[in-house]
Amino acid sequence: MQTVMIVGAGKGGSALLRILMETSMLKVKVIVDTNPHAPGLKLAKEYGIQTGTDWREFISEEIDIIIEVTGDQEVFLQLREAKRKHSVLIPGSVAYLIAALIEEKEDLISSIENEKFKHDLIFNSTGDGMIGINRQSEIILFNQSAEEMIGVKKEKAIGRHILDVIPNSQLQRVMETRRAEQNQELVLNNGLKIITTRIPMIGENSELIGAFAVFK
């Protein structure tokens, strides 16, 4: 994780601090401002972040990124001359752009995770067993009902060859023929008789992706 020092704790520095605190990629180590009553310093103390009034006190520390948001060109030039060789100095305008991109990325990840949660909820709430395999006949989908009927936990099924979990599975045949098979009877190793529908998974360009089975 990259460590950050923010130079300038006014309105801009405070806004930037809030954005960076929401990301998991960067860690704000210190924020400084010549005004000891700057709003960003107060906010930093609430977050438990080190504060100061002179950036020179921290310039020798292990700081990966220095963000200058004072708007003072002289401060920027001084920081450029004094910073450690490995430290990266970023002007406020660029920092805001980067922060906005990071925030957008975090929002996108959150949205994707929410959608995945919804899909997993639906996938595992149905009473039908569901199993999906890829072109190598490895199990890539295995819901809770499949666990209960087959007697194998999802964690032990995912990634295994379908015949290692269901020795008499016909999903490979469905991939070979590319034809769906509906309402077929199958007896599992544990003696449970199921009725299953097998479907080949075909991509937009007619490429074979795998096969999927629904059973009860």
Side-chain angles (χ1 to χ4, degrees):
M1 182 181 295
Q2 300 283 289
T3 57
V4 178
M5 175 169 70
I6 299 176
V7 180
K11 184 178 179 181
S14 298
L16 185 60
L17 175 60
R18 288 192 181 92
I19 293 173
L20 295 181
M21 290 302 294
E22 294 298 322
T23 73
S24 56
M25 301 172 61
L26 301 173
K27 179 182 179 181
V28 179
K29 188 172 182 179
V30 60
I31 180 170
V32 300
D33 196 289
T34 54
N35 176 9
H37 303 295
L41 299 184
K42 180 180 178 182
L43 180 62
K45 290 175 181 177
E46 294 176 3
Y47 285 129
I49 296 173
Q50 189 176 9
T51 63
T53 56
D54 188 350
W55 55 263
R56 294 174 183 82
E57 297 177 8
F58 309 97
I59 198 69
S60 62
E61 294 189 15
E62 292 296 326
I63 301 293
D64 298 308
I65 301 171
I66 301 170
I67 304 176
E68 191 279 314
V69 287
T70 65
D72 188 327
Q73 181 66 13
E74 185 61 29
V75 173
F76 182 83
L77 294 175
Q78 290 174 2
L79 282 166
R80 188 174 65 179
E81 291 298 320
K83 73 179 184 66
R84 294 167 65 94
K85 187 175 180 180
H86 80 278
S87 298
V88 177
L89 177 60
I90 301 176
S93 57
V94 176
Y96 286 124
L97 176 59
I98 295 173
L101 292 173
I102 292 173
E103 188 175 30
E104 184 177 329
K105 176 187 174 184
E106 296 283 344
D107 289 342
L108 179 60
I109 292 174
S110 178
S111 176
I112 292 173
E113 289 177 343
N114 287 336
E115 286 301 313
K116 183 179 183 300
F117 173 77
K118 293 176 185 177
H119 294 161
D120 287 347
L121 184 62
I122 295 171
F123 186 59
N124 288 308
S125 294
T126 178
D128 293 343
M130 296 183 182
I131 295 178
I133 62 173
N134 59 19
R135 291 182 61 182
Q136 290 71 45
S137 299
E138 298 166 337
I139 297 174
I140 56 175
L141 296 171
F142 201 83
N143 75 345
Q144 188 172 326
S145 292
E147 284 186 349
E148 295 171 355
M149 291 187 219
I150 298 172
V152 177
K153 289 293 183 182
K154 174 182 176 179
E155 293 75 17
K156 293 186 177 180
I158 295 294
R160 293 176 62 187
H161 194 284
I162 183 63
L163 296 183
D164 291 338
V165 179
I166 307 178
N168 56 347
S169 170
Q170 302 302 319
L171 277 177
Q172 288 179 297
R173 181 178 67 199
V174 170
M175 286 198 294
E176 293 172 0
T177 63
R178 295 195 175 202
R179 296 178 60 181
E181 298 178 355
Q182 298 184 3
N183 300 322
Q184 301 294 305
E185 185 177 293
L186 182 70
V187 179
L188 301 175
N189 277 3
N190 58 16
L192 184 67
K193 183 184 294 185
I194 61 174
I195 301 298
T196 180
T197 293
R198 310 180 187 103
I199 307 166
M201 294 191 290
I202 309 296
E204 294 182 0
N205 299 317
S206 299
E207 75 277 16
L208 181 67
I209 298 174
F212 186 74
V214 182
F215 51 93
K216 61 180 65 181

